[in-house]
Amino acid sequence: MLILGPCSAESRTQMLEIGRQLRGRADYLRAGVWKPRTRCGSFSGVGEPALAWLVEAAKLAEATPITEVELPEHVDLAAEAGLRAVWLGARSVCSPALIDALAERLALWGVSAWVKNPIAPCLELWIGAIERLEAYGVEVLGAIFRGVKSLEPTRYRNTPAWQIAQGVRIFRPTLPLLCDLSHIAGKRDLLADVASEARATSLFSGLMIEVHARPNDAITDAKQQVTPQEVEALIGRFEDPK
Ligand code: PEP
Ligand code: MN
């Protein structure tokens, strides 16, 4: 299972280019339409107009379009644009009340969800979000592990506290669990190491990786995005460590 695509949808041209380049390579084409930013004033996504670019690009990629929803009204807009799947991000999953509000709207539209782990190293919040969605009747497609924030300086942007991923695997033994190499690594040179570590855990059934036609020009997460050519080696590393 592969979720590939840029951190953010930046323009129609950018999205169609990456859609073409990833043709037949991904199960889902991802792009952030609304970007949850930790600090005020950062680029927070193009918003609604980008949904149509994502849908168009996903057709070229022969993949299912997927984006993050941060607010209940995002669910309405995504569903109206034809999206059948979304992901809930690391910042949202920290807020049970927000998850309830999103779950209500997802259930209403019959939109399914992937659930990232929260930024904080808290397995219970992650499990709680999955339970809340299910309680509203939302189909949870799987969980995505993106590492956790550490107090100490670390090699990676987010620490791959594998025991948290293992916790969700024990909670739901058959739920698909993906490893988000990009948001763990934070730098493209470190993605291969995370791919090897993830493989060694045997916890994951697939990957989320940020892919951009021109990573250095990306508006968000330029340091960690890779080209469609580079992503092949990472997938290979995850599937075959030799
Ligand atoms: C993302 O996938 O673009 C993203 C913002 O991730 P996270 O919620 O894991 O920080
Ligand atoms: Mn990103």
Side-chain angles (χ1 to χ4, degrees):
M1 173 68 62
L2 293 171
I3 304 181
L4 307 179
C7 180
S8 304
E10 301 166 6
S11 68
R12 180 169 178 264
T13 310
Q14 169 234 12
M15 286 306 298
L16 297 191
E17 185 176 23
I18 198 69
R20 248 179 245 114
Q21 291 180 349
L22 287 174
R23 184 170 165 212
R25 288 304 294 134
D27 298 281
Y28 291 87
L29 183 74
R30 65 152 283 158
V33 167
W34 300 279
K35 296 303 298 176
R37 304 314 299 272
T38 302
R39 294 294 296 269
C40 180
S42 313
F43 172 73
S44 57
V46 170
E48 187 182 354
L51 289 167
W53 309 337
L54 172 59
V55 169
E56 206 180 344
K59 284 205 185 93
L60 295 175
E62 297 166 1
T64 302
I66 188 166
T67 195
E68 174 173 350
V69 287
E70 279 183 84
L71 293 170
E73 48 265 42
H74 296 166
V75 178
D76 301 342
L77 293 167
E80 278 163 5
L83 268 72
R84 308 299 303 147
V86 295
W87 81 82
L88 306 189
R91 291 158 189 78
S92 308
V93 175
C94 294
S95 167
L98 179 57
I99 295 298
D100 275 335
L102 290 167
E104 192 179 359
R105 218 60 79 90
L106 290 166
L108 204 69
W109 285 101
V111 170
S112 307
W114 287 85
V115 186
K116 286 197 169 197
N117 67 289
I119 277 189
C122 180
L123 172 63
E124 294 293 298
L125 273 174
W126 196 8
I127 289 177
I130 294 168
E131 286 174 334
R132 273 170 208 282
L133 290 159
E134 289 175 346
Y136 278 86
V138 177
E139 183 191 12
V140 175
L141 294 163
I144 304 172
F145 183 63
R146 47 82 75 211
V148 295
K149 266 278 168 264
S150 289
L151 207 50
E152 308 301 330
T154 49
R155 180 163 185 250
Y156 298 134
R157 178 178 177 188
N158 288 291
T159 301
W162 301 117
Q163 66 271 34
I164 292 182
Q166 192 176 21
V168 101
R169 166 61 59 239
I170 292 165
F171 165 68
R172 283 291 149 78
T174 58
L175 190 69
L177 176 59
L178 308 188
C179 186
D180 175 348
L181 302 184
S182 307
H183 291 91
I184 292 175
K187 292 196 197 88
R188 70 178 66 91
D189 291 351
L190 299 178
L191 286 165
D193 288 358
V194 182
S196 298
E197 286 188 43
R199 186 189 193 283
T201 68
S202 302
L203 289 169
F204 300 100
S205 45
L207 301 172
M208 175 184 263
I209 309 174
E210 287 185 340
V211 189
H212 195 287
R214 273 170 289 278
N216 288 326
D217 297 340
I219 298 176
T220 55
D221 285 347
K223 289 199 187 96
Q224 71 191 28
Q225 300 204 61
V226 294
T227 63
Q229 292 72 38
E230 288 164 341
V231 87
E232 295 303 330
L234 293 165
I235 296 165
R237 167 88 63 145
F238 176 73
E239 288 170 351
D240 175 3
K242 283 179 227 101

